[in-house]
């Protein structure tokens, strides 16, 4: 798919951005492993989450539409042996969380495959600790061939702050012998922990910030209404902050503090953003967020513990930075190199094509502005967040911006 975007007039209005991807994956997984049926309302119907849902159907979960944009999920007695590969598509969350589930289901054999991008992404970050738990896994990149085993708990210090690693190990730990503990160098999104607590599962914690679970726990089905995704809201927030005359209200956005770094970066840049509380869902705070375009945005800085709290928003924040006065720096973000694309390179090469001033580092970027952007042919390289970020850039560029390889926006 090729997208064409032209310079926009003021963005004025109110919308509910699409539902949260991280929460939809987790809701499907916890529903498929529960003791009784669940209803997930307003799940994200994007391809990544549909892959998770389809895989659990393959493994025996029965699903049906629920009135009012929901999905009912009836878990199988036990996960069903499946001879076809489990296709995670482009979705790292699907593959990493699923690996923890399959590896801990005794005798279940499965091969996890993904598209070209996912097949290049590092899986050792989960296969290493799962093997320490006793898992039988062949491969450190997809395809991963897994034979489920009765695992034993470990105390694991993850070298990377990653909710996918943490969630993979907690899911495996829930079905393992003994306790499984995970420590990470900085706090990553804590949706799994909040969902566990909401389901009545005891979450263990230690003074060194480790979190843990005891094996052998089960939970009842639940009803969960998925809030909208702050990572999707970020495109509208940044667009409204830079398109002159804009005034946008985003409704029912998940504002879990482990995800709201983008709001801090916008405030740092001098953008006018206000949040009012909405209806909490399963321990997840929800807000309505208003943004009004104001002139005089300033450079901002992203580093350290803030990085995991806005990791997915960095491409669009780099676009925002082109419209800010001064040099914005983004450091400690080497993880960007192993996302759906090498986001440091894809952001830099596309911004350069549009006339921005950009420097790259091993762990980040510097963007100097303000620069008038010009329409150009840019390449999303199959990465949804790059496609969306450059759709925002196109709204303020002179002339037409064409975005190649943008299919993954679906
Ligand atoms: C996700 C965690 C993040 C994020 C991804 C979704 C999740 O990845 O980039 O889009 O749902 O757990 P890492 O955990 O690898 O940082």
């Amino acid at each position: 798919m090729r997208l064409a975007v032209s310079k926009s007039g003021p963005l004025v209005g109110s919308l509910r951005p699409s539902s949260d991807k991280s929460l939809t994956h987790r809701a499907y997984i916890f529903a498929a492993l529960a003791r009784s049926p669940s209803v997930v309302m307003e799940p994200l119907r994007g391809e990544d989450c549909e892959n998770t849902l389809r895989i659990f159907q393959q493994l025996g979960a029965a699903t049906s539409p629920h009135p009012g944009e929901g999905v009912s999920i009836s878990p199988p007695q036990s996960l069903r042996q499946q001879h076809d590969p489990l296709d995670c598509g482009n979705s790292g969350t699907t593959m990493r969380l699923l690996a923890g589930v399959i590896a801990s289901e005794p005798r279940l054999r499965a091969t996890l495959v993904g598209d070209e991008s996912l097949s290049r992404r590092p899986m050792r970050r989960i296969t290493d600790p799962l093997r320490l738990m006793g898992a039988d896994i062949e491969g450190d990149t997809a395809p991963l061939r897994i034979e489920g085993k009765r695992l034993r708990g470990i105390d694991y210090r993850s070298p990377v702050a990653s909710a996918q690693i943490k969630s993979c190990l907690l899911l495996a730990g829930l079905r393992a012998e003994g306790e499984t503990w995970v420590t990470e160098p900085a706090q990553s999104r804590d949706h799994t922990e909040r969902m566990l607590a909401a389901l009545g599962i005891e979450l263990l914690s230690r003074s060194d910030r480790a979190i843990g679970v005891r094996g052998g726990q089960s939970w009842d089905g639940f009803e969960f209404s998925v809030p909208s995704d702050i990572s999707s809201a970020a495109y509208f927030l940044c667009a409204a902050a830079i398109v002159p005359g804009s005034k946008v209200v985003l409704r029912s956005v998940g504002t879990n503090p482990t995800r709201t770094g983008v709001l801090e970066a916008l405030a740092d840049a001098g953008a006018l953003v206000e949040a009012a509380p909405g209806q909490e869902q399963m321990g997840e705070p929800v807000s309505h967020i208003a943004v009004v375009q104001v002139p005089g945005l300033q450079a901002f800085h992203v580093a350290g513990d803030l990085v995991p709290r806005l990791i997915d928003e960095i491409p669009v924040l780099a676009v925002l930075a082109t419209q800010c006065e001064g040099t914005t720096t983004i450091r400690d973000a080497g993880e960007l190199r192993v996302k759906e694309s090498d986001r440091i390179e894809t952001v830099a090469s596309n911004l350069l094509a549009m006339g921005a001033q950009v420097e790259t580092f091993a762990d980040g970027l510097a963007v100097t502005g303000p620069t008038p952007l010009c329409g150009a042919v840019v390449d999303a390289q199959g990465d949804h967040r790059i496609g969306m970020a450059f759709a925002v850039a196109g709204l303020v560029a002179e002339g037409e911006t064409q975005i190649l390889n943008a299919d993954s926006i679906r």
Side-chain angles (χ1 to χ4, degrees):
M1 178 171 79
R2 168 204 291 242
L3 268 186
V5 184
S6 304
K7 189 163 181 167
S8 174
L11 305 169
V12 178
S14 155
L15 77 143
R16 181 192 189 280
S18 49
S19 290
D20 193 278
K21 180 162 78 84
S22 293
L23 288 172
T24 301
H25 283 299
R26 287 163 175 75
Y28 286 160
I29 295 172
F30 280 106
L33 299 176
R35 276 191 298 252
S36 51
S38 298
V39 176
V40 182
M41 294 303 297
E42 293 194 82
L44 175 64
R45 302 312 309 233
E47 280 178 9
D48 281 6
C49 297
E50 294 291 292
N51 287 330
T52 295
L53 186 62
R54 198 197 50 256
I55 287 171
F56 279 97
Q57 288 165 340
Q58 281 180 269
L59 294 170
T63 72
S64 59
H66 187 87
E69 315 253 334
V71 182
S72 301
I73 301 175
S74 296
Q77 286 285 357
S78 61
L79 297 177
R80 185 168 68 199
Q81 181 60 49
Q82 180 51 236
H83 298 289
D84 293 331
L86 304 178
D87 189 354
C88 305
N90 190 240
S91 174
T93 311
T94 305
M95 184 165 284
R96 295 194 178 115
L97 271 55
L98 185 67
V101 173
I102 304 284
S104 57
E105 177 82 11
R107 289 178 300 282
L108 184 66
R109 260 175 291 117
T111 303
L112 278 45
V113 299
D115 71 4
E116 207 187 304
S117 150
L118 185 55
S119 303
R120 279 196 303 267
R121 295 180 65 186
M123 293 298 150
R124 262 192 93 143
R125 49 182 60 198
I126 53 149
T127 55
D128 274 352
L130 285 173
R131 286 185 189 117
L132 289 174
M133 296 177 79
D136 181 353
I137 306 178
E138 229 179 87
D140 287 315
T141 51
L144 299 180
R145 287 185 192 80
I146 307 180
E147 182 163 346
K149 292 265 180 307
R150 178 99 174 110
L151 303 183
R152 53 185 180 274
I154 53 168
D155 190 342
Y156 188 66
R157 195 165 281 276
S158 171
V160 213
S162 159
Q164 295 180 355
I165 301 175
K166 177 175 58 179
S167 304
C168 166
L169 299 181
L170 292 178
L171 280 163
L174 279 172
R175 292 130 58 86
E177 248 167 66
E179 292 176 0
T180 299
W181 289 88
V182 188
T183 319
E184 39 182 3
Q187 163 90 63
S188 66
R189 62 193 68 193
D190 66 357
H191 300 306
T192 300
E193 297 91 302
R194 284 173 191 249
M195 204 167 274
L196 287 168
L199 292 172
I201 296 161
E202 193 192 354
L203 196 65
L204 312 171
S205 61
R206 261 186 348 217
S207 56
D208 64 350
R209 281 203 331 209
I211 48 138
V213 287
R214 201 166 287 125
Q217 298 190 64
S218 59
W219 54 91
D220 285 329
F222 54 90
E223 180 161 339
F224 176 45
S225 181
V226 184
S228 101
D229 195 325
I230 192 162
S231 299
S232 300
Y235 304 106
F236 298 98
L237 290 168
C238 292
I242 60 177
V243 174
S246 295
K247 194 175 176 181
V248 170
V249 175
L250 303 171
R251 297 191 306 274
S252 306
V253 180
T255 39
N256 176 320
T258 60
R259 297 282 303 279
T260 47
V262 63
L263 300 181
E264 286 157 43
L266 278 160
D268 216 13
L272 195 56
V273 180
E274 276 178 20
Q279 175 81 48
E280 183 175 302
Q281 301 290 339
M282 275 183 94
E284 294 285 343
V286 172
S287 304
H288 308 295
I289 305 176
V291 54
V292 178
Q293 186 267 331
V294 288
L297 295 181
Q298 298 294 318
F300 54 95
H301 303 286
V302 172
D305 287 4
L306 180 58
V307 172
R309 298 178 51 237
L310 47 58
I311 186 73
D312 291 335
E313 289 67 75
I314 290 175
V316 73
L317 285 170
V319 169
L320 175 85
T322 67
Q323 304 307 303
C324 296
E325 170 90 43
T327 300
T328 291
T329 55
I330 297 162
R331 301 306 296 259
D332 305 322
E335 272 295 291
L336 292 174
R337 294 207 180 268
V338 291
K339 293 292 181 187
E340 285 83 333
S341 68
D342 174 342
R343 287 185 178 156
I344 293 176
E345 293 308 323
T346 42
V347 166
S349 61
N350 289 331
L351 282 181
L352 286 170
M354 297 183 78
Q357 282 187 58
V358 191
E359 195 186 339
T360 60
F361 313 107
D363 68 342
L365 299 146
V367 180
T368 301
T371 320
L373 298 180
C374 41
V377 178
V378 298
D379 193 340
Q381 292 190 24
D383 183 336
H384 59 130
R385 300 205 194 274
I386 301 298
M388 292 298 293
F390 283 86
V392 172
L395 298 176
V396 292
E398 274 317 317
E400 190 181 76
T401 299
Q402 287 191 33
I403 308 167
L404 309 180
N405 298 312
D407 297 64
S408 55
I409 285 175
R410 283 202 290 271

